[in-house]
Amino acid sequence: MNVKDFNYELPEELIAQDPLEDRSASRLLMLDRKTGEIRHRVFREIAGEFRQGDCLVINNTKVIPARLFGVKEGAGAVIEVLLLKRREKDIWETLVKPGKKAKPGAVLSFGEGLLKGRVEDVVEEGNRLIRFSYEGIFEEILDQLGQMPLPPYITHPLQDKTRYQTVYAKHDGSAAAPTAGLHFTKELLEELQEKGVEIVNVTLHVGLGTFRPVKEAVVENHHMHSEFYCIEEEAAEAINRAKKEGRRVICVGTTSCRTLESAADDKGLVKATSGWTEIFIYPGYQFKCMDGLITNFHLPQSTLLMLVSAFAGREHVLAAYEEAVREQYRFFSFGDAMLVV
C-alpha cells in the first residue's frame, strides 16, 4: 500500500489557526461508513446521533506545557526543548533544536536557572535524554516556564492555555492534545448522560510520533512510536458490558480508538491494563472493539488518516474530505469534526 494513496489537496486557508469561542460550535460531518452517505450538522447537535445505551469512550490525558526555551550554558545559544516522555523521575526523552548544540554533557538553563538540564545521551531519531535539576516541584516550574506544544501548522499564539485541553483532561503526560475531544463542553457531556449514554474514561498520553509524517513510501514499513496507555478496571467492565449487550462503543478520537484496540481480544472485550502501545492501524485492519468514531480532519498521508480509512474505507473517507474542502470546513487540531458510524 502506497503512502500517496492517502493524499488530498487542502487549501492552506482551511487550516484552523485559532479555536472557536464556543467549543461546540464546530461543524460536524456525518459519515456512514457502510454507504459513504454524508450529512452536515453542528457539533452541539451530536447528542441527536446517539442512542440510549451507547458507550462513549474519552481520553482523559492532559497536555503538559512541554515546550521550553532556554540557553546553553557557556555559549549563550538559544535552545528549544520539547518534552516527549518521562523515562525516570527527572530524566526525559526530548526533541532539541538545534540538536548540534545539545551534545552529551551540555548544560541547558531555563528561566534564568530556575530549571537546568544536562544532556545525558542521544537516542532514537536524534532525541536527547535530559536530566533536569531544580528546587521545588517540577510540574509547578514547568507550568511557569513552559508553553503549550502546538503543532507547527498553527502559527498563531494561543491566548488561553485551557483551549488546548479537553474539559475532562485529568492525567498529565501528553505532548499534544487528543483534539477530537476539544469540541465537547461540560453541558454537552451532561446532555449525553441524560440521554442514557454511558461515558467511560481511558488514558493514552499522546506522543509526537502520532503526528510525525510517514517517511516510508510503503505504508506497511512505517513504525509507530510507543505511547503509554491505561484502562482502569471500572472502565474495562463498562466497555465489556456494552459489547456483551450489543450496545455501540464510540471512541472520541484516534487515541481512544488505539487504546481500546491495543487491549481488546478477538471478541472485542478489553482487559484492565496499562503499558506501551505501538499499534499502527491502516486499511486491512479488523476492528475488534470500536463501533463508531468521533475525529477531526487529519493531515494528508498521516497515520491518523490511515486509521480513519481503515474504519470507514479509503474511498469513503477521501470523498468526505473532498466534500469538507468544498464546504469550507476547518481542518486539523482546532478545526471541525467528523462522526463516523
Side-chain angles (χ1 to χ4, degrees):
M1 198 179 310
N2 198 297
V3 171
K4 291 180 180 177
D5 293 338
F6 299 90
N7 199 24
Y8 67 92
E9 296 297 324
L10 179 69
E12 191 174 339
E13 62 268 19
L14 295 185
I15 300 174
Q17 292 294 323
D18 302 287
L20 296 179
E21 188 172 335
D22 175 4
R23 288 175 183 262
S24 62
S26 301
R27 297 167 74 186
L28 179 67
L29 187 148
M30 315 282 305
L31 176 62
D32 185 316
R33 69 191 184 105
K34 293 186 174 67
T35 67
E37 179 192 354
I38 294 169
R39 293 183 290 124
H40 302 281
R41 300 196 73 167
V42 178
F43 197 87
R44 71 168 66 94
E45 302 170 339
I46 199 171
E49 302 298 328
F50 279 82
R51 306 169 188 161
Q52 183 177 2
D54 281 343
C55 179
L56 184 68
V57 181
I58 60 179
N59 179 10
N60 62 11
T61 187
K62 190 173 184 179
V63 186
I64 60 174
R67 180 167 273 129
L68 291 162
F69 291 91
V71 295
K72 179 181 177 182
E73 287 194 348
V78 176
I79 298 283
E80 178 185 347
V81 172
L82 186 64
L83 305 180
L84 297 178
K85 67 175 73 163
R86 189 177 232 146
R87 290 288 194 91
E88 297 176 31
K89 182 177 183 294
D90 290 322
I91 298 179
W92 285 76
E93 183 176 341
T94 69
L95 183 65
V96 179
K97 296 179 183 177
K100 61 185 178 184
K101 301 284 187 182
K103 295 177 180 176
V107 177
L108 314 177
S109 177
F110 309 91
E112 298 182 342
L114 188 62
L115 177 67
K116 290 192 176 184
R118 185 181 188 279
V119 180
E120 298 285 328
D121 199 3
V122 180
V123 292
E124 184 184 3
E125 294 199 3
N127 293 345
R128 267 59 177 174
L129 292 185
I130 296 181
R131 182 186 298 274
F132 288 99
S133 58
Y134 51 89
E135 290 186 7
I137 299 172
F138 180 79
E139 287 73 16
E140 291 180 358
I141 295 171
L142 188 62
D143 196 51
Q144 181 181 338
L145 299 180
Q147 297 180 14
M148 280 299 189
L150 295 179
Y153 51 76
I154 294 177
T155 58
H156 292 187
L158 184 63
Q159 302 300 325
D160 178 2
K161 279 185 180 182
T162 65
R163 293 311 308 275
Y164 197 56
Q165 299 279 20
T166 62
V167 297
Y168 46 77
K170 184 177 181 181
H171 299 296
D172 286 336
S174 273
T179 55
L182 296 179
H183 306 282
F184 283 96
T185 62
K186 290 181 179 178
E187 293 77 15
L188 187 50
L189 291 168
E190 288 170 3
E191 182 183 349
L192 287 166
Q193 286 179 308
E194 288 169 5
K195 187 169 182 173
V197 174
E198 186 173 18
I199 298 175
V200 175
N201 286 267
V202 297
T203 306
L204 182 139
H205 293 321
V206 189
L208 288 188
T210 303
F211 303 97
R212 277 189 167 145
V214 178
K215 295 178 181 177
E216 302 282 353
V218 178
V219 169
E220 292 86 345
N221 292 342
H222 177 70
H223 176 71
M224 294 287 284
H225 287 241
S226 62
E227 295 169 310
F228 181 81
Y229 74 99
C230 178
I231 302 176
E232 301 285 356
E233 188 72 45
E234 184 180 359
E237 289 175 359
I239 293 163
N240 292 341
R241 268 197 314 272
K243 295 302 291 184
K244 289 174 181 177
E245 294 170 8
R247 294 184 279 122
R248 296 188 303 179
V249 173
I250 298 174
C251 291
V252 178
T254 57
T255 60
S256 298
C257 165
R258 292 176 67 245
T259 301
L260 296 199
E261 294 297 317
S262 294
D265 63 20
D266 291 338
K267 295 179 180 178
L269 303 179
V270 301
K271 58 185 176 183
T273 185
S274 64
W276 297 87
T277 180
E278 298 177 351
I279 190 170
F280 179 23
I281 297 175
Y282 53 87
Y285 179 85
Q286 298 298 311
F287 286 84
K288 296 174 284 189
C289 186
M290 184 176 75
D291 302 304
L293 176 67
I294 298 169
T295 186
N296 279 20
F297 292 90
H298 304 297
L299 276 73
Q301 301 184 27
S302 64
T303 60
L304 305 179
L305 180 56
M306 292 170 192
L307 184 153
V308 181
S309 297
F311 187 60
R314 186 180 69 90
E315 292 79 8
H316 287 167
V317 171
L318 291 180
Y321 272 53
E322 287 178 11
E323 171 84 353
V325 169
R326 281 195 298 272
E327 294 294 325
Q328 301 282 289
Y329 272 67
R330 301 164 75 247
F331 278 66
F332 305 161
S333 293
F334 287 141
D336 296 316
M338 295 177 69
L339 171 59
V340 185
V341 288

